């Protein structure tokens, strides 16, 4: 018997620190102090202009959250205060009595409080000490730990990127970030339910391991059912653990996207009237650590992944609906895996549940990133407790494929000059090589674990050795031209990225005053080391130097899309030697120039549209004198591969048709006949390659060296249901034609971008908007534009 009562009403927050005059501000629970102060009008929006710079006092201060609730005795034997998440260094007080102290955002807490509850009014207070001060104090005590950032995040178990990252602001939060409430119960309750799913031939077996907390020692009955199979087991007097095994004769399997349906079954476990329910899935997962090949239900899966960062600096704002939107964007771009990156969180139930529903695979980093971490107490115990809890919580989700010890800490230890300053102090190696794998082996033994990423299966080899395990590629972006991706022959690329600015409307909302690449407020929304210079350097020979802000915005966004296209085409064409790419990064947490495909306001950048093309099941890519014909579908791709070398005006100069048949899940690389790859005039010709409904256009020179004619086209915009239909008919070749309707209506979006047209060809764009737009503006630069619109200027 149990009942749950959320305590989410009537909260206020006050500063504890004397020097901060904030008192009794109405507060949201779940929530955090930044969003409370913002809602009360006491601070400016931290995401706008450089307001961030004036808000660091919030993370330095202490905060007390208080509410009063009425209580009248119920019929139960026990009442617990259940805190799903406290951020972070908290003391919980009920009616003046301290019930507990916590210091880990990644854990939940349960305090027995029945003896403290009073008839009538009760006062609950959660006081938060500054997480910054806490971390600094531990750093002082335990000694410096080198890392990529100066902030002391390794000294507190809290979302690391909250302290600032190379795409995120430093906004150190405090608050009750997940639900809090009173749970009353009698007799016994389900303290822990841990289903382990395995296949036994065609049968699916679920071993449900249950731990019970008892108020009375009487015998009990535990029941479980799934897919029409029910089993009951008696619990004898005093018995606190049990295993219930269910065998489902021929369940439908859970498959990742592109391989089958993500079938799931409701598993219900009952103890008296207490019930625990989750959607589980029947599937197997294996990882060959050397080849880094993920095999699901016996099928090797090519991972088309994206890295996921916390979608907001204030995670309580990330609703299920918002996740569904973001996941929809991932799915529509052809993504099949999300890597939850180690500088963030163990995400919400909604996150893994939605992923399971959509057939999206999840790779979960334990939250350690880009730094050495102390292994001394209290951290060792905190990490053990957090990992035990989170492994148990997340293990039931069929979407979860893989546990990973950390992000880049093995590489950091090997390569980033940590060992000397560490002077033998702990750095986290014991967590990744010992503690975490032993917890996974005990609690979630069927799921693969790797100690970190990048990593090599053989510990004797460098973590970045491309011949085994994963690599992260960051010399491109930081130093090298993106064509350097072609020098890599990796097994699996778990991170690689290239920056581009956010959508125009996002930047316009985030920054007041002049929009210029180097305007101080625009630069505030660029956190990467030397970021804007790298954006320009990255244009290389590929695109002209931008003159105006509008050109800078378009060309750097376009270059981001092209760089990632180049890399993904390379790595997919290496399958099955290479079995996956995880793009850095899908999303942003605020408006910023970053590696993301979807910006901080949720707008899709040109990179997103490019991803949809290069993450499609079927891909054509011209690579030197070969065409890679990539078929990552479960049916053969056959037809006539049509290769035509043409003038820029579209006139054929040489033609070849080759019959191809590419087996399911494989790559063919027909060589291009010499007549096709040898232009008479590299600046005046192009190559079209088509097969079925796919077409790709390749040039023989980089854009600034191509003799593009000034763009000429006929464009019209018609009002249609839900927006506009924009039709563009090319009179000249149009290179990477794009439409940016958010420049006219921030809420407007378009269904396609970066279309290259030959003379006479037509592209139709669908613009979604409720506004009435200026059709002249909608069909002219800078809203509608292409690379060669100022060709004469470009060629100079
Ligand atoms: C990788 C990530 C992040 C970072 C990104 C871009 O190292 O793990 O730490 O944001 O590079 O620099």
């Amino acid at each position: 018997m149990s009942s749950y009562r959320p305590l989410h009403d009537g909260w206020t927050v006050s500063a504890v620190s004397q020097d901060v005059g904030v008192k009794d501000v109405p507060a949201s629970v779940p929530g955090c102090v930044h969003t409370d102060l913002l809602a009360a009008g006491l601070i400016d929006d931290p995401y706008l202009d450089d307001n961030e710079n004036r808000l660091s006092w919030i993370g330095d201060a202490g905060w007390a959250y208080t509410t009063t609730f009425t209580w009248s005795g119920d019929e139960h034997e026990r009442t617990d205060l259940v805190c799903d998440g406290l951020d972070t260094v908290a003391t919980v007080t009920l009616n003046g009595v301290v019930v507990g102290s916590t210091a880990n955002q990644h854990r939940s807490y349960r305090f027995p409080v029945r003896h403290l509850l009073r008839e009538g009014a009760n006062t609950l207070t959660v006081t938060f000490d500054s997480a910054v001060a806490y971390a600094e104090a531990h750093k002082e005590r335990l000694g410096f730990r080198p890392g990529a950032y100066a902030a002391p995040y390794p000294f507190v178990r809290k979302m690391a990127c909250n302290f600032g990252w190379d795409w995120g602001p430093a906004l150190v939060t405090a608050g009750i970030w997940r639900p809090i409430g009173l749970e009353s119960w009698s007799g016994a309750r389900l303290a822990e339910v841990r289903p382990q799913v395995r296949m036994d031939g065609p049968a699916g077996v679920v071993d449900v391991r249950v731990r019970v907390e008892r108020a009375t020692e009487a015998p009990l009955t535990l029941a479980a059912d799934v897919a029409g199979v029910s089993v009951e087991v008696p619990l004898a007097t005093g018995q606190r653990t049990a295993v219930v095994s269910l065998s489902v004769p021929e369940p439908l399997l859970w498959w990742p996207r592109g391989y089958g349906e993500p079938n799931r079954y409701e598993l219900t476990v009952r103890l008296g009237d207490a019930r625990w329910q989750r959607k589980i899935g029947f599937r197997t997962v294996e990882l060959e650590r050397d080849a880094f090949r993920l095999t699901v239900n016996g099928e090797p899966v090519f991972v088309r992944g994206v890295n996921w960062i916390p979608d907001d600096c204030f995670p309580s704002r990330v609703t299920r609906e918002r996740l569904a939107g973001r996941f929809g964007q991932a799915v529509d771009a052809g993504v099949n895996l999300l890597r939850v990156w180690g500088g963030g969180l163990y995400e919400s139930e909604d996150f893994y549940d939605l992923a399971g529903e959509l057939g999206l695979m999840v790779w979960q980093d334990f939250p350690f990133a880009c730094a050495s971490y102390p292994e001394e107490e209290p951290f060792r115990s905190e990490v053990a407790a957090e990992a035990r809890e989170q492994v148990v919580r997340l293990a039931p989700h069929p979407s979860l494929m893989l546990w990973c010890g950390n992000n880049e800490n093995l590489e950091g230890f090997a390569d980033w000059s940590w060992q000397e300053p560490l002077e033998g102090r702990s750095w986290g190696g014991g967590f990744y090589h010992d503690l975490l794998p032993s917890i996974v082996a005990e609690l979630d033994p069927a799921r693969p674990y790797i100690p970190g990423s990048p990593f090599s299966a053989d510990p004797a080899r460098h973590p970045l050795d491309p011949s085994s395990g994963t690599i992260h590629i960051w010399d491109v972006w930081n130093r090298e031209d993106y064509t350097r991706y072609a020098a890599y022959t990796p097994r699996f690329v778990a991170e690689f990225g290239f920056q581009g600015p956010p959508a125009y409307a996002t930047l316009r909302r985030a920054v007041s005053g002049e929009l210029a690449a180097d305007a101080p407020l625009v630069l505030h929304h660029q956190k990467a080391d030397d970021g804007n210079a790298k954006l320009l350097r990255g244009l290389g020979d590929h695109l002209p130097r931008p003159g105006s802000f509008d050109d800078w915005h378009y060309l750097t966004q376009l270059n981001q899309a092209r760089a990632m296209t180049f890399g993904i085409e390379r790595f997919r064409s290496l399958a099955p030697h290479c079995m996956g790419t995880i793009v850095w990064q899908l999303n942003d947490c605020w408006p910023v120039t970053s590696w993301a495909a979807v910006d901080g306001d949720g707008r899709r950048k040109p990179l997103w549209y490019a991803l949809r093309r290069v993450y499609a099941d079927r891909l054509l890519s011209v690579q030197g004198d070969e065409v890679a014909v990539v078929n990552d579908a479960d049916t053969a791709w056959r037809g006539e591969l049509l290769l035509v070398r043409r003038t820029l005006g579209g006139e054929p100069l040489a033609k070849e048709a080759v019959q191809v048949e590419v087996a399911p899940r494989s790559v063919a690389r027909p060589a291009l006949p010499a007549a096709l790859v040898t232009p008479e005039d590299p600046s005046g010709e192009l190559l079209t390659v088509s097969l079925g409904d796919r077409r790709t256009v390749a040039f023989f020179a980089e854009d600034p060296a191509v003799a593009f004619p000034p763009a000429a086209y006929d464009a019209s915009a018609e009002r249609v249901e839900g927006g506009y239909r924009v039709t563009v008919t090319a009179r000249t070749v149009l290179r990477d034609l794009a439409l940016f309707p958010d420049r006219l209506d921030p809420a407007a979006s378009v269904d396609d971008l970066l279309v290259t047209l030959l003379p006479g060809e037509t592209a139709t764009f669908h613009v979604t908007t409720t506004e009435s737009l200026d059709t002249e503006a909608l069909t002219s630069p800078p809203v509608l534009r292409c690379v060669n619109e100022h060709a004469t200027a470009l060629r100079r």
Side-chain angles (χ1 to χ4, degrees):
M1 298 259 284
S2 69
S3 71
Y4 178 76
R5 170 179 173 192
L7 295 174
H8 293 167
D9 297 329
W11 289 89
T12 58
V13 59
S14 302
V16 174
S17 321
Q18 296 299 327
D19 52 340
V20 180
V22 176
K23 221 177 143 31
D24 298 333
V25 172
S28 293
V29 168
C32 75
V33 64
H34 288 80
T35 46
D36 291 333
L37 297 179
L38 180 64
L42 294 174
I43 58 168
D44 293 327
D45 190 329
Y47 289 0
L48 303 185
D49 287 339
D50 59 356
N51 295 336
E52 174 202 357
N53 290 346
R54 288 172 294 280
L55 298 176
S56 59
W57 57 273
I58 300 174
D60 292 333
W63 298 94
Y65 278 78
T66 300
T67 190
T68 305
F69 61 93
T70 50
W71 167 263
S72 54
D74 59 22
E75 72 282 17
H76 287 292
E77 291 162 330
R78 297 279 185 90
T79 303
D80 298 337
L81 176 66
V82 182
C83 312
D84 289 351
L86 301 174
D87 169 21
T88 287
V89 187
T91 304
V92 182
T93 310
L94 181 59
N95 296 326
V97 179
V98 173
V99 300
S101 298
T102 76
N104 193 335
Q105 182 182 17
H106 305 303
R107 292 176 64 186
S108 67
Y109 297 90
R110 172 182 289 266
F111 307 109
V113 293
R114 196 169 175 87
H115 59 294
L116 298 175
L117 289 166
R118 297 181 189 142
E119 282 291 321
N122 288 260
T123 303
L124 176 62
T125 301
V126 186
T127 308
F128 295 95
D129 292 346
S130 159
V132 179
Y134 169 95
E136 290 291 358
H138 282 292
K139 179 174 160 188
E140 184 69 23
R141 184 175 64 84
L142 294 169
F144 171 70
R145 294 297 193 284
Y149 298 88
Y153 68 81
F155 296 90
V156 58
R157 295 307 298 149
K158 172 173 166 60
M159 173 169 120
C161 61
N162 222 199
F163 288 79
W165 217 259
D166 60 2
W167 36 256
L171 295 165
V172 181
T173 52
I176 303 168
W177 78 291
R178 278 182 171 163
I180 187 168
L182 291 172
E183 187 185 326
S184 288
W185 56 281
S186 299
R189 68 173 194 92
L190 290 164
E192 186 177 292
V193 179
R194 192 157 59 83
Q196 283 176 349
V197 180
R198 64 191 157 86
M199 298 306 296
D200 182 6
V205 180
V206 192
D207 296 318
V208 189
R209 294 190 156 71
V210 177
R211 198 163 52 74
V212 164
E213 185 182 359
R214 284 171 168 279
T216 54
E217 300 300 323
L220 298 162
T221 303
L222 192 63
D225 66 80
V226 69
V229 177
S230 316
V231 173
E232 280 192 5
V233 296
L235 287 187
T237 304
Q239 187 181 343
R240 282 175 164 71
T241 58
V243 184
V244 188
S245 286
L246 301 134
S247 179
V248 180
E250 278 185 346
L252 298 171
L253 301 181
W254 185 91
W255 287 98
R257 295 192 70 70
Y259 292 79
E261 292 302 310
N263 299 296
R264 294 187 298 168
Y265 295 89
E266 190 94 63
L267 167 67
T268 308
V269 179
R270 281 192 201 80
L271 181 73
D273 74 347
R275 103 188 3 223
W276 179 101
Q277 250 171 342
R278 290 289 183 287
K279 291 208 175 76
I280 62 160
F282 294 93
R283 55 124 187 85
T284 59
V285 52
E286 289 143 282
L287 176 73
E288 287 157 72
R289 286 165 43 122
D290 236 303
F292 215 81
R293 194 161 73 144
L294 203 60
T295 299
V296 182
N297 301 328
E299 294 269 346
V301 171
F302 187 96
V303 169
R304 300 179 221 159
V306 283
N307 279 282
W308 174 272
I309 64 166
D311 207 52
D312 200 310
C313 301
F314 312 124
S316 54
R317 296 204 291 208
V318 183
T319 57
R320 184 177 176 99
E321 193 188 1
R322 177 155 153 190
L323 288 173
R326 201 70 67 241
F327 286 18
Q329 290 171 321
V331 161
D332 290 345
V335 165
N336 64 13
L337 179 140
L338 306 171
R339 170 178 177 235
V340 181
W341 163 78
L345 296 166
Y346 305 94
E347 294 281 346
S348 62
E349 280 302 297
D350 285 330
F351 185 100
Y352 305 92
D353 181 56
L354 277 168
E357 179 181 310
L358 293 167
L360 276 170
M361 300 179 284
V362 177
W363 153 332
Q364 178 72 44
D365 281 3
F366 283 97
F368 302 90
C370 302
S372 49
Y373 281 76
E375 293 172 45
E376 287 80 359
E377 292 297 346
F379 299 109
R380 194 179 168 80
S381 299
E382 287 296 343
V383 168
E386 131 200 349
R388 295 189 76 86
E389 175 179 345
Q390 298 293 348
V391 169
V392 169
R393 178 171 76 93
L394 303 188
H397 293 282
S399 53
L400 184 62
M401 292 286 131
L402 173 69
W403 292 105
C404 169
N406 70 76
N407 175 73
E408 294 186 350
N409 296 348
L410 307 179
E411 177 189 349
F413 188 71
D415 260 8
W416 299 353
S417 309
W418 290 357
Q419 297 184 27
E420 212 181 289
L422 275 172
E423 294 174 330
R425 287 191 292 272
S426 63
W427 61 281
F431 293 159
Y432 321 130
H433 293 301
D434 178 21
L435 180 68
L436 297 172
S438 70
I439 289 171
V440 173
E442 177 195 338
L443 299 174
D444 191 19
R447 200 170 259 115
Y449 171 89
I450 57 170
S453 186
F455 100 112
S456 286
D458 176 355
R461 277 193 251 148
H462 191 277
L464 277 173
D465 182 335
S467 66
S468 111
T470 69
I471 60 168
H472 295 185
I473 303 179
W474 285 111
D475 57 352
V476 173
W477 172 247
N478 282 317
R479 290 179 301 282
E480 306 279 350
D481 189 78
Y482 66 70
T483 50
R484 187 176 158 73
Y485 287 132
Y488 283 91
T489 307
R491 306 313 301 250
F492 194 105
V493 193
E495 276 185 18
F496 63 122
F498 206 94
Q499 275 204 351
Y504 175 85
T506 302
L507 209 49
R508 186 63 287 173
R509 185 183 81 82
V511 166
S512 57
E514 184 206 9
L515 287 183
D518 58 356
L521 292 178
V522 172
L523 282 175
H524 185 77
H525 294 253
Q526 160 64 282
K527 298 288 192 182
D529 187 26
D530 209 20
N532 268 25
K534 289 175 186 173
L535 275 177
L536 280 186
R537 194 219 63 225
L539 293 172
D541 297 338
H542 309 297
L543 286 165
R545 303 279 118 180
S548 64
F549 167 78
D550 286 340
D551 289 351
W552 173 83
H553 188 259
Y554 168 64
L555 294 170
T556 53
Q557 281 199 329
L558 172 60
N559 203 47
Q560 176 188 31
R562 289 210 189 150
M564 296 310 284
T565 295
F566 187 93
I568 294 170
E569 288 189 358
R570 161 78 185 168
F571 304 134
R572 284 192 67 187
S573 72
L574 293 174
H577 177 84
C578 175
M579 280 305 279
T581 55
I582 309 184
V583 169
W584 186 267
Q585 69 214 63
L586 173 67
N587 58 335
D588 268 330
C589 58
W590 77 315
V592 67
T593 292
S594 86
W595 301 264
V598 175
D599 76 23
D601 283 359
R603 294 191 178 90
R604 297 167 298 177
K605 290 156 72 169
L607 170 58
W608 181 90
Y609 297 85
L611 279 183
R612 187 173 56 180
R613 231 161 255 141
V614 289
Y615 266 176
D617 286 354
R618 290 174 168 165
L619 172 70
L620 292 175
S621 159
V622 176
Q623 299 179 6
D625 52 8
E626 287 180 342
V627 192
V629 185
V630 180
N631 180 24
D632 193 16
D634 55 13
T635 52
W637 192 12
R638 53 176 82 85
E640 188 179 68
L641 182 69
L642 190 62
L643 310 156
V644 189
R645 180 162 60 83
R646 303 169 189 268
T647 63
L648 294 185
E651 298 305 321
L653 297 169
K655 219 180 205 167
E656 195 84 34
V658 193
Q659 252 341 99
V660 292
E661 167 151 4
V662 187
R665 314 277 177 208
S666 69
V667 180
R669 300 173 141 279
L672 287 164
L676 284 149
V677 277
T678 326
E680 286 146 42
D681 171 13
S683 68
E685 295 173 25
L686 56 82
L687 181 69
T688 58
V689 178
S690 39
L691 175 61
D693 64 352
R694 301 276 129 180
R695 197 231 357 228
T696 188
V697 181
F699 290 80
F700 294 98
E702 296 292 352
D703 284 9
V706 174
F708 283 116
Y713 50 83
D714 300 306
S716 63
E718 264 179 276
R719 194 92 170 95
V720 292
E721 171 96 35
Y724 288 84
R725 178 164 52 228
V726 177
T727 311
V728 183
T729 301
R731 281 192 265 124
T732 59
V733 62
L734 301 178
R735 174 70 154 144
D736 282 321
L737 187 64
L739 186 64
F740 298 105
D742 63 296
R743 283 176 171 268
L744 303 176
D745 165 21
S749 62
V750 66
D751 65 337
D752 203 4
L753 276 188
L754 310 186
V755 182
T756 293
L757 295 180
L758 302 188
E761 291 180 338
T762 296
T764 307
F765 299 96
H766 297 275
V767 173
T768 304
T769 176
T770 53
E771 299 288 304
S772 150
L773 305 181
D774 171 350
T775 53
E776 179 60 32
L778 188 57
T779 50
S780 349
V783 179
L784 176 70
R785 63 181 307 173
C786 61
V787 172
N788 53 315
E789 72 188 20
H790 301 300
T792 5
L794 295 186
R795 277 208 308 281
R796 239 189 286 124

